Amino acid sequence: MFNGILPEIVISTAAIFFFISSLLDRKNLQRWAMGFGGVAVLASLIGLKHKYIFFHGAFTVDGFSRFFSLLICVAYLLACVIGGRLRQTDDQKTGEFYFFISISTLGLLLVTGATELLTLFIGLEISSYPLFIVASYRKGLGYQFESVAKYMIFGAVSTAFMLYGITYLYGAFGSTFLADIIPAIPTHLHDPMAVLGVILFMAGLLYKLSAFPFHFWAPDVYAGSAAEVVAYIAALPKLAAVALLVRVVSLFMDMEGLTPVLTILAILSMTMGNLMALTQTELKRLLAYSAVSHAGYILLGLLAPADGGLTASLFYGTVYTFMTLAAFLVAIQVAGDEHDIPLDNLAGLWHRSPVLAIMLVITFISLAGLPPTAGFTGKLLLLTAVWKAGYFWPVFAAVINTLIGMFYYLKVIKISLVSSTDPVPLAPPSHIRSLALALALLLLFLGLLPGGVLELAEAAIGSL
């Protein structure tokens, strides 16, 4: 039975270890973090085929939860490697940093396996509160506290909406267990209380996904927090949000009025994110607005559950995680110890570090959705599914937004390759160069041969 929850056990052990390390004021904990991350990935692979039910049906280990636990553990490992020696984080808080991100990861693992609404809510809170704390760990400056305040306020508001949603759903269905709710859904398709409950419940997920209209915290938190913290915030919580959207919200998509709401939110998220990104001159802010637009693409997949939209959303969520971590690998390397990352920091990257420049080009081509990268394949799968389902206007909006997005993605590539500057040597460690090369090849591989991940995603959807 414990084979099924091995990732949770490993991450819990890591949290305890880093808590004790913080009490002993130990430094140089990155190797330990990478070690725990590697073991967690192995544990996820061992538990991939297991299926168990815990806590009277509130937490389920199945193909779906183990698919996301594998992704989360891989992203945890990559975030620990990419974070490096935490240059922008206060040295005195190294142990606390790894402790809090381990606790947050444990909460995300709980979310992906939760099949009861209050358990879902508790998992989301466990994953959120540690991030409120580590977002303030940036040394120097001072406006990181303003960004943390916005992060907490938006988090509190979305939490309130989500709790209201759960109470409405309980009022409509008489239970908070998905096993009890699913059979009763056909008789509540026109129930205003149930529809309102689902919409309010979605608020908490849209906040995690940085989707419109719960995206306003993202640019300030991305800009105000340490780059290594943002790499974590930008990648891992979105995996849990995708898991929740697919596991819970997709069940209710036949309800009256829900599809138009989701369609509008997806289009506005894509459009707002891309338009705001056009004017950005700081890399982390640009990636924040990029995240808002990509949240819209992920939402599109929910419109076509019967035409492969859910599998496409899972694939795109997976690809987006790797693209984000790859982008932040470069961001962390070109960042100073205490400063923001203006796009000018990328000037002459080709001369300073060809490996990082190549990876940045492939990553931003993938973010733009151009072939032969994974971003192109992901968008193609999403738009094909939505088109088959008969939603032509969302597809048209997605194509227009893809064209808008190309402008700022290609601008970043131009700065890194063409802009003239006095080349300042940039010598990332050998393991970072190797990881950069591996991520670049992965984005190309998933673009050309997505079959393996698609099979895993289809199996995960099939286990629901």
Side-chain angles (χ1 to χ4, degrees):
M1 182 173 72
F2 290 106
N3 287 345
I5 55 171
L6 276 178
E8 286 83 354
I9 293 173
V10 173
I11 297 297
S12 299
T13 306
I16 294 169
F17 173 81
F18 291 125
F19 175 70
I20 295 172
S21 298
S22 69
L23 294 178
L24 299 176
D25 199 24
R26 293 183 62 181
K27 306 291 190 304
N28 302 320
L29 295 171
Q30 188 196 12
R31 290 185 178 180
W32 283 99
M34 291 191 295
F36 279 116
V39 174
V41 171
L42 291 176
S44 298
L45 290 171
I46 292 172
L48 203 56
K49 302 290 184 182
H50 290 281
K51 186 169 184 178
Y52 299 105
I53 294 176
F54 295 88
F55 308 121
H56 303 285
F59 182 82
T60 301
V61 171
D62 55 16
F64 184 82
S65 70
R66 294 307 90 181
F67 172 77
F68 276 98
S69 75
L70 175 61
L71 290 178
I72 288 171
C73 290
V74 169
Y76 173 85
L77 171 61
L78 292 177
C80 291
V81 176
I82 291 170
R85 55 186 178 88
L86 308 180
R87 288 195 304 175
Q88 293 190 342
T89 300
D90 190 340
D91 293 339
Q92 303 300 317
K93 301 184 184 300
T94 303
E96 295 174 31
F97 170 83
Y98 286 117
F99 166 69
F100 283 123
I101 67 167
S102 298
I103 290 292
S104 178
T105 304
L106 184 62
L108 296 175
L109 293 175
L110 179 61
V111 166
T112 60
T115 48
E116 193 269 337
L117 296 180
L118 290 176
T119 308
L120 274 173
F121 175 76
I122 291 170
L124 278 175
E125 295 307 291
I126 291 174
S127 69
S128 296
Y129 283 102
L131 299 184
F132 295 153
I133 298 170
V134 296
S136 67
Y137 278 1
R138 185 175 180 177
K139 62 186 177 184
L141 295 180
Y143 65 79
Q144 70 268 36
F145 300 111
E146 177 187 341
S147 66
V148 170
K150 291 180 180 176
Y151 196 17
M152 292 182 65
I153 290 170
F154 272 93
V157 171
S158 65
T159 295
F161 279 124
M162 195 171 196
L163 271 178
Y164 270 121
I166 290 173
T167 58
Y168 276 92
L169 287 173
Y170 180 74
F173 293 98
S175 174
T176 56
F177 284 83
L178 295 183
D180 298 329
I181 292 174
I182 292 172
I185 290 176
T187 59
H188 290 76
L189 294 180
H190 306 288
D191 183 349
M193 181 182 287
V195 174
L196 181 60
V198 175
I199 292 174
L200 291 173
F201 182 80
M202 282 175 56
L205 307 186
L206 295 177
Y207 164 77
K208 283 286 182 188
L209 204 57
S210 311
F212 180 89
F214 294 93
H215 68 285
F216 292 101
W217 61 271
D220 289 327
V221 172
Y222 276 46
S225 303
E228 49 268 16
V229 173
V230 182
Y232 182 92
I233 293 175
L236 276 80
K238 288 181 175 54
L239 283 172
V242 173
L244 274 184
L245 281 167
V246 172
R247 186 188 281 275
V248 180
V249 178
S250 64
L251 299 174
F252 301 100
M253 287 308 294
D254 290 333
M255 284 185 168
E256 184 179 8
L258 195 57
T259 298
V261 170
L262 200 59
T263 304
I264 292 171
L265 290 177
I267 293 175
L268 287 177
S269 194
M270 289 187 291
T271 306
M272 287 291 294
N274 279 320
L275 291 179
M276 294 302 293
L278 286 174
T279 60
Q280 302 306 313
T281 57
E282 203 270 339
L283 182 58
K284 287 190 293 178
R285 276 190 176 275
L286 185 145
L287 291 172
Y289 285 112
S290 167
V292 177
S293 69
H294 283 281
Y297 291 109
I298 292 171
L299 289 177
L300 282 180
L302 300 182
L303 301 176
D307 295 283
L310 301 182
T311 301
S313 284
L314 260 61
F315 180 80
Y316 199 75
T318 303
V319 166
Y320 177 73
T321 300
F322 291 126
M323 292 190 294
T324 300
L325 289 169
F328 274 97
L329 184 151
V330 177
I332 290 170
Q333 294 304 312
V334 301
D337 287 352
E338 299 180 0
H339 303 290
D340 294 332
I341 312 173
L343 294 182
D344 290 340
N345 277 21
L346 296 170
L349 186 62
W350 172 251
H351 301 288
R352 300 162 63 193
S353 177
V355 172
L356 290 185
I358 291 171
M359 195 201 69
L360 181 140
V361 170
I362 293 174
T363 300
F364 276 73
I365 286 177
S366 187
L367 285 167
L370 295 174
T373 59
F376 168 77
T377 304
K379 281 182 181 173
L380 182 64
L381 292 170
L382 279 171
L383 299 188
T384 302
V386 178
W387 182 272
K388 284 182 180 175
Y391 296 102
F392 307 123
W393 283 108
V395 172
F396 178 73
V399 172
I400 295 296
N401 273 285
T402 299
L403 294 175
I404 297 173
M406 286 181 190
F407 180 82
Y408 60 86
Y409 290 127
L410 296 180
K411 182 178 75 172
V412 174
I413 293 174
K414 177 187 173 186
I415 291 173
S416 65
L417 295 182
V418 179
S419 296
S420 61
T421 183
D422 294 331
V424 178
L426 182 63
S430 58
H431 71 281
I432 291 293
R433 293 199 300 274
S434 301
L435 179 59
L437 188 60
L439 284 173
L441 292 175
L442 180 64
L443 292 178
L444 290 174
F445 176 78
L446 292 179
L448 296 170
L449 298 168
V453 175
L454 282 175
E455 286 180 10
L456 284 175
E458 287 173 357
I461 295 295
S463 68
L464 290 175

